[in-house]
Amino acid sequence: MNKKFDVVIVGTGAAGLFCALSLPQDKKILCISKDALDGSDSFLAQGGICMLRDDNDYASYFEDTMRAGHYENRKESVEIMIKSSQQIIHDLEGYGVEFEKENGEFVFTKEGAHSDNRILFHADVTGREITGKLLARAQERENITLMDYTTMVDWVCKDNVCYGIVVADEDGKTEAIEADVTVLACGGLGGVYKHSTNYRHISGDALALALYHNVRLENCDYVQIHPTTLYTKQSGRSFLISESVRGEGAVLRDKNGERFTDELQPRDVVSNAIFAKMKEQGTEHVWLDFSPIPKEEILSHFPNIYKHCTEAGFNPLETWVPVVPAQHYFMGGIYVDKDSKTTMEQLYAIGETSCNGVHGRNRLASNSLLESLVFAKRAAADIMTVSEYKKAADFDNLVNLEDYADLHGIMEKYHAMVVQEIKEEARLRSLKEEAI
C-alpha cells in the first residue's frame, strides 16, 4: 500500500467518515478500522440526532445540555454544536441520509432530559442510517482509501509533532504510514468494561498513546452508564434499549411492578435509581414496561428493539422486558480545542475519542452523533487553513518496527493504562470534592 497520505483518519465511524468527506477531493486520505468498516459504535446508535428546531428552541436546548452535564460543559462548545446542527442535518441529507418525515416535514421525538421534541430519527437504527450512508459516499470517493482490520499501534512523532502512525494488519505485520495530519476518530473505551453497549474492540487505545506521548487528556473518569440495556446472563456486548422508548412513554418497574422513578431524568440519575432499587430488592435487573406506547408505534418506531427483545424471549407487546444499566459512553477523552486540535501539532481528535467539553459530566441523549459530526467538520475546515505542514526529515528512522513484535502484550498494556487512568482520575476527583 501507499505509505504516504495527506490525512490519516483512525476510525470509520460517523466522525471519521464525515471528516474525510468534508475534506477536498484533491487530498489523499486513508481511513482505517480496527475491525470491519461498519464495526463502529456509530452504527449502533438507535435513538436519533438532535437538531435546533428554531431560534425559540435555543435557550432550552442549551440549558438541557448544560443541566445534563451538571454545568461542567464548555459553554463555547455547546453553543457551536447547537448553532451548527441545522447545517449538519442539511449536509447529511445531501449524502442521502433519510429521516422520518410526514408531509415532507421532519418528525421530532423526545428523549430523557429534553424539555422539547428536537430529535430526528430513522426508525430505531438512526446510527446505521447515518453512518452507512457516509460509508457508502466515502467508498465512492477515489481520493479516500478505506482499510479494515487495521490496528493503530503507535504514533510516529518527535518533539510534539505527529508525522503519522504505526499500524498492524490481521496477521500482525506492522508498518509506518506517513501523513501530514493524523485524525483520531477511534471511539470510546467500552472494551475495557465487563458490561458495555460498545463493541469489544473499541478499548481506548488512543488514550493510552496520549498518556505515553504526553498529550493532554481530560475527564477520563467521566464514563456514562446507560440505564436500560437488555438483561442477559450471557457475556459480550450489551444490547441497548434506546432512551427514546422511555421518551415515548415506557416506564420502569421494580420486582413488585411498582414504578419507582421519573424515567425522563438525565441518564446518570435514572441509572443510580435503578442501581439503588436493585440493591434494595436484591435483584439483578428491573423491568421496562412498553405498554403505555401504542402497539403500532412500537412496531414502526422501534422495529429493531422489538425484534431483539422478542428473540431473547420478551415480546414488548405482551410482557415487561428485563433491563440493567451498562457502560455506554465516554464524556472524557483527548483534550481538544473548538477546532478539534490536540496538544500535539498535526494531531486532531474527534468523536468519542475527544473531549471538547460539550457533554460535561454527563451526555444529553442524542447529542453524541451531532457533536461528532459538528467537530469532525470543524477539524476538516481547520486542516485546510494550513498551507504547509511540517515534514519529518528522518521519518523512516523515527520508528523501529521490531519494537512492536509483541502486539498482544502491547494492546494489553494499553488497556491496563486506560483502566488505571480512569481509577486515578476518579480518586483525585473524589479527594478534591471531599475537600470542598
Side-chain angles (χ1 to χ4, degrees):
M1 62 170 285
N2 191 315
K3 296 184 181 181
K4 175 68 174 72
F5 290 85
D6 295 311
V7 181
V8 168
I9 299 175
V10 185
T12 57
L17 293 170
F18 200 68
C19 182
L21 291 167
S22 298
L23 288 164
Q25 295 190 44
D26 62 352
K27 295 294 181 183
K28 289 179 56 179
I29 302 167
L30 171 65
C31 298
I32 68 169
S33 174
K34 193 176 182 182
D35 199 79
L37 294 177
D38 61 357
S40 73
D41 287 339
S42 299
F43 278 89
L44 304 176
Q46 296 175 350
I49 180 170
C50 295
M51 187 187 83
L52 178 69
R53 297 189 64 163
D54 52 43
D55 291 342
N56 294 328
D57 184 38
Y58 179 82
S60 63
Y61 186 2
F62 186 92
E63 172 61 19
D64 290 346
T65 300
M66 295 294 296
R67 184 167 65 90
H70 297 260
Y71 299 96
E72 294 184 22
N73 326 55
R74 276 188 242 163
K75 293 181 179 180
E76 180 185 32
S77 295
V78 175
E79 180 179 4
I80 288 170
M81 180 189 71
I82 295 173
K83 290 185 175 181
S84 302
S85 62
Q86 294 179 356
Q87 181 59 51
I88 291 297
I89 298 304
H90 177 75
D91 292 346
L92 290 177
E93 289 197 300
Y95 290 128
V97 175
E98 298 179 6
F99 296 107
E100 183 74 15
K101 290 185 176 181
E102 285 184 4
N103 300 320
E105 299 294 326
F106 287 131
V107 174
F108 293 89
T109 189
K110 184 179 182 181
E111 296 187 2
H114 282 273
S115 58
D116 202 351
N117 293 41
R118 62 171 68 93
I119 299 167
L120 300 175
F121 62 94
H122 181 100
D124 57 352
V125 289
T126 308
R128 185 193 305 168
E129 170 66 12
I130 291 174
T131 319
K133 292 291 174 61
L134 294 178
L135 178 57
R137 299 294 83 77
Q139 289 171 326
E140 295 167 355
R141 295 273 181 94
E142 292 184 1
N143 67 308
I144 299 176
T145 300
L146 296 156
M147 292 185 62
D148 56 6
Y149 300 101
T150 303
T151 300
M152 175 181 66
V153 182
D154 201 355
W155 305 337
V156 181
C157 51
K158 182 180 181 181
D159 299 330
N160 202 44
V161 180
C162 186
Y163 297 110
I165 59 174
V166 176
V167 300
D169 64 16
E170 281 188 284
D171 299 322
K173 180 184 176 183
T174 57
E175 59 184 331
I177 299 174
E178 188 175 3
D180 290 341
V181 178
T182 299
V183 181
L184 305 171
C186 33
L189 41 66
V192 303
Y193 285 81
K194 182 178 180 181
H195 298 291
S196 173
T197 63
N198 296 182
Y199 280 114
R200 305 308 301 167
H201 63 272
I202 299 175
S203 48
D205 303 342
L207 305 181
L209 289 173
L211 287 167
Y212 184 76
H213 292 292
N214 298 311
V215 169
R216 180 180 171 185
L217 297 175
E218 186 171 66
N219 299 337
C220 285
D221 58 325
Y222 282 0
V223 179
Q224 185 178 78
I225 306 299
H226 196 286
T228 51
T229 68
L230 180 63
Y231 172 75
T232 176
K233 292 185 177 181
Q234 298 177 353
S235 60
R237 185 175 65 82
S238 301
F239 179 76
L240 182 144
I241 298 179
S242 172
E243 189 136 13
S244 56
V245 172
R246 285 175 281 127
E248 293 298 327
V251 296
L252 291 164
R253 300 191 183 279
D254 64 13
K255 71 175 185 180
N256 300 318
E258 298 294 328
R259 187 178 179 187
F260 59 89
T261 191
D262 175 0
E263 295 82 4
L264 297 183
Q265 298 174 102
R267 288 175 174 175
D268 57 339
V269 178
V270 178
S271 293
N272 288 336
I274 294 173
F275 282 131
K277 182 58 64 175
M278 289 165 54
K279 182 178 180 180
E280 173 193 329
Q281 298 186 334
T283 59
E284 295 184 327
H285 63 80
V286 295
W287 300 95
L288 186 62
D289 177 8
F290 284 66
S291 64
I293 308 174
K295 292 184 177 181
E296 299 76 15
E297 185 176 344
I298 293 174
L299 296 174
S300 63
H301 191 161
F302 307 113
N304 186 50
I305 294 173
Y306 170 78
K307 178 176 180 290
H308 200 101
C309 291
T310 301
E311 289 175 348
F314 303 95
N315 186 337
L317 300 180
E318 301 173 355
T319 188
W320 299 343
V321 175
V323 294
V324 65
Q327 189 280 332
H328 177 56
Y329 193 80
F330 182 44
M331 283 77 62
I334 297 176
Y335 173 89
V336 295
D337 65 11
K338 61 184 177 63
D339 295 312
S340 301
K341 289 188 288 191
T342 72
T343 56
M344 178 177 281
E345 287 188 68
Q346 301 178 186
L347 180 68
Y348 292 74
I350 55 178
E352 202 171 347
T353 305
S354 69
C355 183
N356 52 45
V358 160
H359 306 305
R361 184 184 282 256
N362 181 56
R363 176 173 68 83
L364 180 67
S366 287
N367 264 350
S368 55
L369 284 169
L370 176 60
E371 175 263 315
S372 293
L373 300 175
V374 167
F375 289 91
K377 186 174 181 179
R378 290 183 69 86
D382 194 74
I383 288 169
M384 298 317 301
T385 64
V386 180
S387 59
E388 187 174 355
Y389 282 94
K390 294 180 180 179
K391 311 289 184 182
D394 54 347
F395 181 81
D396 292 336
N397 294 323
L398 292 179
V399 181
N400 181 3
L401 295 179
E402 294 180 1
D403 292 342
Y404 309 102
D406 181 16
L407 282 174
H408 179 75
I410 290 171
M411 302 313 288
E412 286 298 310
K413 178 182 177 182
Y414 287 170
H415 298 170
M417 290 172 67
V418 171
V419 172
Q420 180 58 36
E421 180 66 14
I422 294 170
K423 291 180 178 178
E424 180 62 12
E425 284 207 26
R427 184 186 72 83
L428 293 174
R429 193 181 304 278
S430 178
L431 290 173
K432 181 178 179 180
E433 292 177 350
E434 286 176 4
I436 296 177

